[in-house]
Coordinates of all heavy atoms in Angstrom, one line a residue:
P80 N -24.2 -20.1 -5.1 CA -25.5 -20.8 -5.0 C -25.3 -22.2 -5.4 O -24.4 -22.6 -6.0 CB -26.4 -20.0 -6.0 CG -25.7 -18.8 -6.2 CD -24.2 -18.9 -6.0
A81 N -26.3 -23.1 -4.9 CA -26.3 -24.5 -5.3 C -26.1 -24.6 -6.8 O -26.7 -24.0 -7.6 CB -27.6 -25.1 -4.8
L82 N -25.2 -25.5 -7.1 CA -24.9 -25.8 -8.5 C -25.6 -27.2 -8.9 O -25.4 -28.1 -8.3 CB -23.4 -25.9 -8.8 CG -22.6 -24.7 -8.3 CD1 -21.2 -25.0 -8.5 CD2 -23.0 -23.4 -9.1
E83 N -26.4 -27.1 -9.9 CA -27.0 -28.3 -10.4 C -26.3 -28.7 -11.7 O -26.0 -27.9 -12.6 CB -28.5 -28.0 -10.8 CG -29.3 -27.5 -9.6 CD -29.6 -28.5 -8.6 OE1 -29.7 -29.7 -9.0 OE2 -29.8 -28.2 -7.4
K84 N -26.1 -30.1 -11.8 CA -25.5 -30.6 -12.9 C -26.4 -30.5 -14.1 O -27.6 -30.8 -14.1 CB -25.0 -32.1 -12.7 CG -23.9 -32.5 -13.6 CD -23.3 -33.6 -13.0 CE -21.9 -33.8 -13.7 NZ -20.8 -34.3 -12.9
Q85 N -25.9 -30.0 -15.3 CA -26.6 -29.8 -16.5 C -26.4 -31.0 -17.4 O -25.5 -31.8 -17.2 CB -26.1 -28.5 -17.2 CG -26.2 -27.3 -16.4 CD -27.5 -26.9 -16.1 OE1 -28.4 -26.8 -16.9 NE2 -27.7 -26.6 -14.8
P86 N -27.4 -31.3 -18.3 CA -27.1 -32.3 -19.3 C -25.8 -32.0 -20.0 O -25.5 -30.9 -20.4 CB -28.3 -32.1 -20.4 CG -29.3 -31.4 -19.5 CD -28.7 -30.6 -18.6
G87 N -25.0 -33.1 -20.1 CA -23.7 -32.9 -20.8 C -22.6 -32.8 -19.8 O -21.3 -32.9 -20.1
G88 N -22.9 -32.8 -18.5 CA -21.9 -32.9 -17.5 C -21.4 -31.6 -16.8 O -21.0 -31.6 -15.7
D89 N -21.7 -30.4 -17.4 CA -21.3 -29.2 -16.8 C -22.3 -28.8 -15.7 O -23.6 -29.1 -15.9 CB -21.2 -28.1 -17.8 CG -19.9 -28.1 -18.5 OD1 -19.0 -28.7 -18.2 OD2 -19.9 -27.5 -19.6
F90 N -21.9 -28.1 -14.7 CA -22.8 -27.6 -13.7 C -23.6 -26.4 -14.1 O -24.7 -26.3 -13.9 CB -22.1 -27.4 -12.4 CG -21.7 -28.7 -11.6 CD1 -20.4 -29.0 -11.7 CD2 -22.6 -29.2 -10.8 CE1 -20.1 -30.3 -11.0 CE2 -22.3 -30.4 -10.1 CZ -21.0 -30.9 -10.2
L91 N -23.0 -25.5 -14.7 CA -23.6 -24.3 -15.1 C -23.3 -23.9 -16.6 O -22.1 -24.1 -17.0 CB -23.1 -23.2 -14.2 CG -23.4 -23.2 -12.7 CD1 -22.6 -22.1 -12.0 CD2 -24.8 -23.1 -12.6
P92 N -24.2 -23.4 -17.3 CA -23.9 -22.8 -18.6 C -22.9 -21.5 -18.4 O -22.9 -21.0 -17.4 CB -25.2 -22.2 -19.1 CG -26.3 -22.7 -18.1 CD -25.6 -23.2 -16.9
A93 N -22.1 -21.4 -19.4 CA -21.2 -20.2 -19.4 C -21.8 -18.9 -18.9 O -21.1 -18.1 -18.3 CB -20.6 -20.1 -20.8
L94 N -23.0 -18.6 -19.4 CA -23.7 -17.3 -19.0 C -23.7 -17.2 -17.4 O -23.5 -16.2 -16.8 CB -25.0 -17.2 -19.7 CG -25.7 -16.0 -19.4 CD1 -24.9 -14.8 -20.0 CD2 -27.1 -16.0 -20.2
Q95 N -24.1 -18.3 -16.8 CA -24.3 -18.3 -15.3 C -22.9 -18.2 -14.6 O -22.8 -17.6 -13.6 CB -25.1 -19.6 -14.9 CG -26.6 -19.4 -15.1 CD -27.3 -20.6 -14.7 OE1 -27.2 -21.7 -15.3 NE2 -28.1 -20.5 -13.6
V96 N -21.8 -18.9 -15.2 CA -20.6 -18.8 -14.7 C -20.2 -17.3 -14.7 O -19.6 -16.8 -13.8 CB -19.6 -19.6 -15.4 CG1 -18.1 -19.4 -15.0 CG2 -19.9 -21.2 -15.2
E97 N -20.4 -16.6 -15.8 CA -20.1 -15.2 -15.9 C -20.9 -14.4 -14.9 O -20.3 -13.5 -14.4 CB -20.4 -14.7 -17.4 CG -20.2 -13.2 -17.6 CD -18.8 -12.8 -17.2 OE1 -17.9 -13.4 -17.2 OE2 -18.8 -11.6 -16.8
Q98 N -22.1 -14.7 -14.7 CA -22.9 -14.0 -13.7 C -22.3 -14.2 -12.2 O -22.2 -13.2 -11.5 CB -24.4 -14.4 -13.7 CG -25.2 -13.6 -12.8 CD -25.3 -12.1 -13.1 OE1 -25.6 -11.7 -14.2 NE2 -24.9 -11.3 -12.1
L99 N -21.8 -15.3 -11.9 CA -21.3 -15.6 -10.6 C -19.9 -14.9 -10.5 O -19.8 -14.2 -9.5 CB -20.9 -17.1 -10.4 CG -22.2 -18.0 -10.2 CD1 -21.8 -19.4 -10.2 CD2 -23.0 -17.6 -9.1
R100 N -19.2 -14.8 -11.6 CA -18.0 -14.1 -11.6 C -18.2 -12.5 -11.3 O -17.6 -11.9 -10.5 CB -17.2 -14.2 -12.9 CG -15.8 -13.4 -12.9 CD -15.4 -13.1 -14.3 NE -16.3 -12.2 -15.0 CZ -16.6 -10.9 -14.8 NH1 -15.9 -10.2 -13.9 NH2 -17.4 -10.2 -15.6
A101 N -19.2 -12.0 -12.0 CA -19.6 -10.6 -11.9 C -20.1 -10.3 -10.5 O -19.8 -9.3 -9.9 CB -20.7 -10.3 -12.9
N102 N -21.0 -11.2 -9.9 CA -21.4 -11.0 -8.6 C -20.3 -11.0 -7.5 O -20.2 -10.1 -6.7 CB -22.3 -12.1 -8.1 CG -23.6 -12.2 -8.8 OD1 -24.0 -11.2 -9.6 ND2 -24.4 -13.3 -8.7
A103 N -19.2 -11.9 -7.7 CA -18.1 -11.9 -6.8 C -17.3 -10.6 -6.8 O -16.8 -10.1 -5.8 CB -17.3 -13.1 -7.1
E104 N -17.1 -10.1 -8.1 CA -16.4 -8.9 -8.3 C -17.2 -7.7 -7.8 O -16.6 -6.8 -7.1 CB -16.0 -8.7 -9.7 CG -14.9 -9.6 -10.2 CD -14.5 -9.5 -11.6 OE1 -15.1 -8.7 -12.4 OE2 -13.4 -10.1 -12.0
A105 N -18.4 -7.7 -7.9 CA -19.3 -6.6 -7.6 C -19.3 -6.3 -6.1 O -19.3 -5.3 -5.7 CB -20.7 -6.7 -8.1
C106 N -19.3 -7.4 -5.4 CA -19.3 -7.3 -3.8 C -17.8 -7.1 -3.3 O -17.8 -7.1 -2.1 CB -20.1 -8.4 -3.3 SG -19.3 -10.0 -3.4
R107 N -16.9 -7.1 -4.1 CA -15.5 -7.0 -3.6 C -15.1 -8.1 -2.6 O -14.4 -7.7 -1.7 CB -15.2 -5.5 -3.2 CG -15.3 -4.5 -4.3 CD -14.7 -3.2 -3.8 NE -15.6 -2.3 -3.2 CZ -16.4 -1.5 -4.0 NH1 -16.4 -1.5 -5.2 NH2 -17.2 -0.6 -3.3
A108 N -15.7 -9.2 -2.8 CA -15.3 -10.4 -1.9 C -13.8 -10.7 -2.0 O -13.2 -10.4 -3.0 CB -16.2 -11.6 -2.3
K109 N -13.3 -11.2 -0.9 CA -11.9 -11.6 -0.9 C -11.9 -13.2 -1.3 O -10.7 -13.7 -1.5 CB -11.4 -11.5 0.5 CG -11.4 -10.1 1.0 CD -10.4 -9.2 0.4 CE -10.3 -7.9 1.1 NZ -9.9 -6.8 0.2
A110 N -13.0 -13.8 -1.3 CA -13.1 -15.2 -1.5 C -14.4 -15.7 -2.1 O -15.4 -14.9 -2.0 CB -12.8 -16.0 -0.1
I111 N -14.4 -16.9 -2.7 CA -15.7 -17.5 -3.0 C -15.6 -18.8 -2.2 O -14.6 -19.5 -1.8 CB -15.8 -17.9 -4.5 CG1 -14.7 -18.6 -5.0 CG2 -16.1 -16.6 -5.3 CD1 -14.7 -19.0 -6.5
S112 N -16.8 -19.3 -1.7 CA -17.0 -20.4 -0.9 C -18.0 -21.4 -1.5 O -19.0 -20.9 -2.1 CB -17.3 -20.1 0.6 OG -18.4 -19.1 0.6
Y113 N -17.7 -22.7 -1.3 CA -18.6 -23.7 -1.9 C -18.3 -25.0 -1.2 O -17.2 -25.2 -0.6 CB -18.3 -23.8 -3.4 CG -16.7 -24.0 -3.6 CD1 -16.2 -25.3 -3.7 CD2 -16.0 -22.9 -3.7 CE1 -14.8 -25.5 -3.8 CE2 -14.6 -23.0 -3.9 CZ -14.0 -24.3 -3.9 OH -12.6 -24.5 -4.1

Side-chain angles (χ1 to χ4, degrees):
L82 305 177
E83 300 287 332
K84 204 158 196 145
Q85 305 294 310
D89 281 342
F90 282 99
L91 295 172
L94 185 62
Q95 285 180 290
V96 170
E97 174 55 29
Q98 184 62 55
L99 291 175
R100 183 205 59 75
N102 291 350
E104 286 183 350
C106 69
R107 294 195 268 278
K109 303 286 188 202
I111 54 175
S112 46
Y113 53 89

